[in-house]
Amino acid sequence: MRKIVGGKLHGIRVTGADLEYHGSITLDPDHCEAAGILPMEFVEIWNKNSGARISTYVIYGERGSRCCILNGAAARTCQRGDEVIIANSMYINENELESVKPAVLTFNPDNSINERLGYSVGRDEQGRLKFDIVRLD
């Protein structure tokens, strides 16, 4: 089995941090559904401002709120306004790689979706693997 990216929220801004909450990251369900991220699923979070890298699980917040709230210990790694990358992962057999098409969302400063992209793996004329980023809009 190989661990690969399943979906990604790229450049979403932190809207809050709640140290007293019992852990996780709270995200807008609309964003999660578009990227294929489930509630209670573990995600990796990379802070583009500080370089911090953490792992936690997802809680769905208010639909349409565009929220990205770090909770519990994760709240110490980010400040409101920081740009983060949030990615889930999946395990696949190597022969499934070409059939997996992870969704990648990029964001405007107000956390509205800027672009809907996808990752695509295929083969070139010599049968070698190739990687492309494709527009989903």
Side-chain angles (χ1 to χ4, degrees), residues 14-26 59 68-80:
V14 174
T15 60
D18 185 353
L19 185 60
E20 300 307 316
Y21 196 75
H22 51 82
S24 71
I25 184 169
T26 304
I59 292 177
C68 177
I69 304 166
L70 280 293
N71 302 307
R76 294 227 186 256
T77 68
C78 299
Q79 295 182 1
R80 178 181 224 130

Side-chain angles (χ1 to χ4, degrees), residues 1 15 34 40 46 53 56 64 104 114:
M1 300 296 285
T15 60
M40 297 191 302
W46 308 302
R53 300 170 74 87
T56 192
V104 177
N114 179 41

Side-chain angles (χ1 to χ4, degrees), residues 8-17 25-32 34 48-49 62-70 78-86 105-116:
K8 189 164 76 164
L9 306 177
H10 190 100
I12 193 166
R13 270 97 176 156
V14 174
T15 60
I25 184 169
T26 304
L27 296 169
D28 185 326
D30 291 336
H31 293 157
C32 291
K48 291 175 68 176
N49 294 68
E62 182 181 341
R63 190 171 294 278
S65 67
R66 300 179 185 168
C67 67
C68 177
I69 304 166
L70 280 293
C78 299
Q79 295 182 1
R80 178 181 224 130
D82 283 357
E83 269 189 76
V84 296
I85 300 166
I86 302 166
L105 306 181
T106 66
F107 292 88
N108 296 309
D110 66 354
N111 281 353
S112 60
I113 296 170
N114 179 41
E115 295 178 295
R116 296 173 192 267

Side-chain angles (χ1 to χ4, degrees), residues 116-132:
R116 296 173 192 267
L117 305 170
Y119 291 160
S120 179
V121 174
R123 301 262 175 194
D124 67 13
E125 300 79 28
Q126 288 81 34
R128 300 173 297 193
L129 289 173
K130 66 176 187 159
F131 175 84
D132 293 299

